[in-house]
Structures are given as C-alpha cells and as structure tokens.
Amino acid sequence: MRWMKHACLIAAFTAIAGAATAAPRYVLELFTSQGCSSCPPADELLAKLADDPQFLALSLPVDYWDRLGWKDTFAKHAFTERQYAYARIRGDGQVYTPQVVVNGSEHANGANRRAIDASAETTTPPQLPVSVKRSGDEIEVTVGATGSGSPRATVVLLPYLGSRAVAIGRGENARRKIAYTNIVREIIPVGEWSGAGASFKAKLANDQGYDGVVVLVQEGTPANPGAILGTALLPLHGPRA
C-alpha cells in the first residue's frame, strides 16, 4: 500500500519516458495537518485524486496546528510560509486547513471534490514542456522555450514520499491512523526561467529515502509563488513488493 500512490503518480507522467500521454492538467497542493480534525477527509480525497491522471496531487503539511497537542511528523514551516504567500499573492488572505491550491492560482476546501473541480476549471493547465532525468548524483531539468514576453518564473524541485501512514497519539486526531499521499519534504529552487530554453542541475540528499521528485516551473519566486507553467516528475525508486 505505501507504494501504490507513488506508482499512480509515476503513471501520470509516462510522457517523461517518451510516451505520448499528456501531462496532468492540474497540480493540487493540499495544505493539511495531523493536528486538524477537519483534514482526514481531505487526505483521503487527495489519495483518490492521485489515481486520476489529470491531477498531480501533493501533500504539504503545515505546522501552525502543532500547538493543539500533537506535533505533525511531516510538517515544515516552509510549507506554512508557502500557503501564506499564496494567500497574499491572491489577495484574499484565506489560509486554512484543509486547503487545496490548484495550479498555483486558485484555492478550494480540500475535502470538497466539487469545489476542487470548480476551482480547477478556472485555472490554466501547465503547458510548458519540462523534462527531468537523473545523471549520477545530480537531477537534470530541461525547460522548453516560449519566446519573449514570458513571465519571470522559478524552477523548483519538490522531493516527496509516495505514501505513509501515521498513528496519531494526541490532539484532535488522537488514536487515529491516517494515510498521507505524495508528501512533499522540501522546496528546492534550482534557477530562474524567462522564456528561453534552459537546463538546470541540482543534487538531493542521498540519505532521505525520497520516492521521487516533482519539478515545477512557477511564476514568481519561492517567496512569492504564482501560476504553475509546467511540471515533470522523476521516480527515484521503483515499486516494491
């Protein structure tokens, strides 16, 4: 089971290996927390959406509910900062859990499939050609060209864990065991893109046990993220029995 969602995420990106399958139309970033009683339905829904090739579904656990009696074992303050940055850029100031941000531009209640679909339909799917491969201990990313007039964008790597279950001992979800899907572990900027074809290289820590890495080409900067222009995925481990 821990590898199932990882395999689905890989299947959604068979275009990277040279097949003609289209890349996902919607990047979903679920801001969730093990300390939030409203989040388990959203975590479950995200796992189902990860089976749908039109979605690239990611979990970004935040740390602002750690004060409720349970410290989220996956939370990173960088994910909290990213969620607040999205709200600032959108101008609505809405920060909550469970919140899904779609294609870096719209948001919805992460437990409400209809709301997610409605938000998704108002966004522009990522269309910029992006490829990624591993060369020795380096990750190599290639981004296509669109010509002059392209917005300033940042290329970021999001290494992730495919699927993990957590037994929660205290707080609002005490005594529950909850499965999390495609859990982002870092946000790693690797360079800027401004319309011309470009290549980038980066290294990942070898001892973190990541299952794969997602590449996003995203308008703005990591501190001020905007619309997602392109995406690609590199599996780092194959399915295990």
Side-chain angles (χ1 to χ4, degrees), residues 179-206:
Y180 297 91
T181 302
N182 302 333
I183 311 151
V184 175
R185 304 314 303 134
E186 298 183 75
I187 302 172
I188 306 172
V190 296
E192 294 185 0
W193 177 87
S194 57
S199 297
F200 307 87
K201 293 183 179 181
K203 291 184 179 181
L204 298 179
N206 292 325

Short mmCIF file of all heavy atoms in Angstrom, two decimals, residues 179-206:
data_model
loop_
_atom_site.label_atom_id
_atom_site.label_comp_id
_atom_site.label_asym_id
_atom_site.label_seq_id
_atom_site.Cartn_x
_atom_site.Cartn_y
_atom_site.Cartn_z
N ALA A 179 -3.44 7.88 6.54
CA ALA A 179 -2.51 7.75 5.42
C ALA A 179 -2.36 9.08 4.69
O ALA A 179 -3.36 9.76 4.44
CB ALA A 179 -3.00 6.68 4.45
N TYR A 180 -1.13 9.42 4.36
CA TYR A 180 -0.82 10.65 3.63
C TYR A 180 -0.19 10.28 2.30
O TYR A 180 0.57 9.31 2.19
CB TYR A 180 0.10 11.54 4.47
CG TYR A 180 -0.59 11.99 5.74
CD1 TYR A 180 -0.46 11.24 6.91
CD2 TYR A 180 -1.40 13.11 5.76
CE1 TYR A 180 -1.13 11.61 8.07
CE2 TYR A 180 -2.07 13.49 6.92
CZ TYR A 180 -1.93 12.74 8.06
OH TYR A 180 -2.60 13.11 9.21
N THR A 181 -0.48 11.08 1.28
CA THR A 181 -0.13 10.75 -0.10
C THR A 181 0.80 11.81 -0.70
O THR A 181 0.54 13.01 -0.59
CB THR A 181 -1.41 10.66 -0.95
OG1 THR A 181 -2.27 9.67 -0.39
CG2 THR A 181 -1.09 10.30 -2.40
N ASN A 182 1.88 11.34 -1.34
CA ASN A 182 2.80 12.23 -2.07
C ASN A 182 3.20 13.42 -1.20
O ASN A 182 2.93 14.58 -1.53
CB ASN A 182 2.17 12.66 -3.39
CG ASN A 182 1.82 11.50 -4.27
OD1 ASN A 182 2.43 10.43 -4.18
ND2 ASN A 182 0.82 11.67 -5.12
N ILE A 183 3.88 13.10 -0.12
CA ILE A 183 4.20 14.07 0.93
C ILE A 183 5.48 14.82 0.56
O ILE A 183 6.58 14.25 0.56
CB ILE A 183 4.40 13.35 2.28
CG1 ILE A 183 3.23 12.40 2.55
CG2 ILE A 183 4.55 14.37 3.41
CD1 ILE A 183 3.62 11.21 3.40
N VAL A 184 5.34 16.10 0.26
CA VAL A 184 6.50 16.91 -0.09
C VAL A 184 7.41 17.06 1.12
O VAL A 184 6.95 17.25 2.25
CB VAL A 184 6.05 18.31 -0.60
CG1 VAL A 184 7.25 19.21 -0.87
CG2 VAL A 184 5.21 18.15 -1.87
N ARG A 185 8.72 16.96 0.90
CA ARG A 185 9.66 17.07 2.01
C ARG A 185 10.52 18.33 1.95
O ARG A 185 11.05 18.77 2.96
CB ARG A 185 10.60 15.84 2.05
CG ARG A 185 9.89 14.51 2.14
CD ARG A 185 8.77 14.47 3.18
NE ARG A 185 9.23 14.81 4.52
CZ ARG A 185 8.58 15.65 5.32
NH1 ARG A 185 7.49 16.27 4.94
NH2 ARG A 185 9.06 15.89 6.52
N GLU A 186 10.69 18.91 0.77
CA GLU A 186 11.49 20.12 0.64
C GLU A 186 10.97 20.94 -0.54
O GLU A 186 10.30 20.40 -1.43
CB GLU A 186 12.97 19.80 0.38
CG GLU A 186 13.69 19.03 1.45
CD GLU A 186 15.16 18.86 1.09
OE1 GLU A 186 15.92 19.85 1.19
OE2 GLU A 186 15.53 17.76 0.67
N ILE A 187 11.30 22.23 -0.54
CA ILE A 187 11.09 23.10 -1.69
C ILE A 187 12.46 23.65 -2.06
O ILE A 187 13.04 24.44 -1.33
CB ILE A 187 10.11 24.25 -1.36
CG1 ILE A 187 8.76 23.69 -0.89
CG2 ILE A 187 9.93 25.16 -2.59
CD1 ILE A 187 7.81 24.76 -0.37
N ILE A 188 12.99 23.20 -3.21
CA ILE A 188 14.37 23.50 -3.57
C ILE A 188 14.41 24.32 -4.86
O ILE A 188 14.18 23.78 -5.95
CB ILE A 188 15.18 22.20 -3.77
CG1 ILE A 188 15.06 21.29 -2.54
CG2 ILE A 188 16.63 22.52 -4.07
CD1 ILE A 188 15.65 19.92 -2.74
N PRO A 189 14.68 25.63 -4.78
CA PRO A 189 14.82 26.41 -6.02
C PRO A 189 16.12 26.03 -6.72
O PRO A 189 17.17 25.89 -6.08
CB PRO A 189 14.88 27.86 -5.51
CG PRO A 189 14.49 27.81 -4.07
CD PRO A 189 14.82 26.44 -3.57
N VAL A 190 16.06 25.86 -8.06
CA VAL A 190 17.26 25.49 -8.80
C VAL A 190 17.62 26.50 -9.88
O VAL A 190 18.68 26.37 -10.51
CB VAL A 190 17.12 24.09 -9.43
CG1 VAL A 190 16.98 23.04 -8.34
CG2 VAL A 190 15.96 24.01 -10.40
N GLY A 191 16.78 27.49 -10.12
CA GLY A 191 17.13 28.50 -11.11
C GLY A 191 15.93 29.29 -11.58
O GLY A 191 14.79 29.01 -11.21
N GLU A 192 16.19 30.30 -12.40
CA GLU A 192 15.15 31.14 -12.96
C GLU A 192 14.96 30.83 -14.44
O GLU A 192 15.90 30.44 -15.13
CB GLU A 192 15.49 32.62 -12.78
CG GLU A 192 15.51 33.08 -11.34
CD GLU A 192 15.74 34.57 -11.20
OE1 GLU A 192 15.89 35.25 -12.25
OE2 GLU A 192 15.76 35.06 -10.06
N TRP A 193 13.73 31.02 -14.92
CA TRP A 193 13.40 30.81 -16.33
C TRP A 193 12.63 32.03 -16.82
O TRP A 193 11.74 32.53 -16.13
CB TRP A 193 12.55 29.55 -16.47
CG TRP A 193 12.09 29.28 -17.88
CD1 TRP A 193 12.76 28.60 -18.85
CD2 TRP A 193 10.85 29.69 -18.47
NE1 TRP A 193 12.02 28.56 -20.01
CE2 TRP A 193 10.84 29.22 -19.80
CE3 TRP A 193 9.75 30.40 -18.00
CZ2 TRP A 193 9.78 29.44 -20.66
CZ3 TRP A 193 8.69 30.63 -18.85
CH2 TRP A 193 8.71 30.15 -20.17
N SER A 194 12.98 32.52 -18.03
CA SER A 194 12.34 33.74 -18.53
C SER A 194 11.92 33.63 -19.99
O SER A 194 11.79 34.65 -20.67
CB SER A 194 13.29 34.93 -18.36
OG SER A 194 14.52 34.70 -19.02
N GLY A 195 11.72 32.42 -20.48
CA GLY A 195 11.18 32.26 -21.82
C GLY A 195 12.07 31.48 -22.77
O GLY A 195 11.59 30.85 -23.71
N ALA A 196 13.38 31.53 -22.57
CA ALA A 196 14.30 30.79 -23.42
C ALA A 196 14.48 29.37 -22.90
O ALA A 196 14.34 29.11 -21.70
CB ALA A 196 15.66 31.50 -23.46
N GLY A 197 14.79 28.44 -23.79
CA GLY A 197 15.08 27.09 -23.35
C GLY A 197 16.27 27.08 -22.40
O GLY A 197 17.23 27.83 -22.59
N ALA A 198 16.18 26.28 -21.36
CA ALA A 198 17.24 26.30 -20.35
C ALA A 198 17.34 24.94 -19.67
O ALA A 198 16.38 24.16 -19.65
CB ALA A 198 16.97 27.38 -19.31
N SER A 199 18.53 24.66 -19.12
CA SER A 199 18.77 23.44 -18.35
C SER A 199 19.30 23.79 -16.98
O SER A 199 19.99 24.81 -16.80
CB SER A 199 19.77 22.54 -19.08
OG SER A 199 19.25 22.11 -20.33
N PHE A 200 18.98 22.95 -16.01
CA PHE A 200 19.36 23.19 -14.62
C PHE A 200 19.81 21.87 -14.01
O PHE A 200 19.34 20.79 -14.39
CB PHE A 200 18.17 23.75 -13.83
CG PHE A 200 17.53 24.95 -14.44
CD1 PHE A 200 16.53 24.82 -15.39
CD2 PHE A 200 17.94 26.22 -14.08
CE1 PHE A 200 15.93 25.93 -15.96
CE2 PHE A 200 17.35 27.35 -14.65
CZ PHE A 200 16.35 27.20 -15.59
N LYS A 201 20.72 21.97 -13.03
CA LYS A 201 21.19 20.79 -12.31
C LYS A 201 21.12 21.05 -10.81
O LYS A 201 21.31 22.17 -10.35
CB LYS A 201 22.63 20.46 -12.70
CG LYS A 201 22.80 20.00 -14.15
CD LYS A 201 24.24 19.63 -14.44
CE LYS A 201 24.41 19.16 -15.87
NZ LYS A 201 25.81 18.76 -16.16
N ALA A 202 20.83 19.98 -10.07
CA ALA A 202 20.78 20.09 -8.61
C ALA A 202 21.05 18.71 -8.02
O ALA A 202 20.93 17.69 -8.70
CB ALA A 202 19.42 20.60 -8.15
N LYS A 203 21.40 18.71 -6.75
CA LYS A 203 21.63 17.46 -6.03
C LYS A 203 20.62 17.34 -4.90
O LYS A 203 20.24 18.32 -4.28
CB LYS A 203 23.05 17.41 -5.47
CG LYS A 203 24.13 17.29 -6.53
CD LYS A 203 25.50 17.15 -5.88
CE LYS A 203 26.59 16.99 -6.94
NZ LYS A 203 27.94 16.83 -6.34
N LEU A 204 20.20 16.10 -4.64
CA LEU A 204 19.36 15.79 -3.50
C LEU A 204 20.18 15.04 -2.46
O LEU A 204 21.11 14.31 -2.81
CB LEU A 204 18.17 14.93 -3.92
CG LEU A 204 17.18 15.52 -4.93
CD1 LEU A 204 16.10 14.50 -5.24
CD2 LEU A 204 16.57 16.80 -4.42
N ALA A 205 19.81 15.21 -1.21
CA ALA A 205 20.47 14.44 -0.16
C ALA A 205 20.24 12.95 -0.41
O ALA A 205 19.13 12.52 -0.71
CB ALA A 205 19.93 14.84 1.21
N ASN A 206 21.30 12.17 -0.32
CA ASN A 206 21.22 10.75 -0.66
C ASN A 206 20.59 9.90 0.44
O ASN A 206 20.24 8.74 0.20
CB ASN A 206 22.62 10.21 -0.96
CG ASN A 206 23.20 10.80 -2.24
OD1 ASN A 206 22.47 11.05 -3.19
ND2 ASN A 206 24.51 11.02 -2.25
#
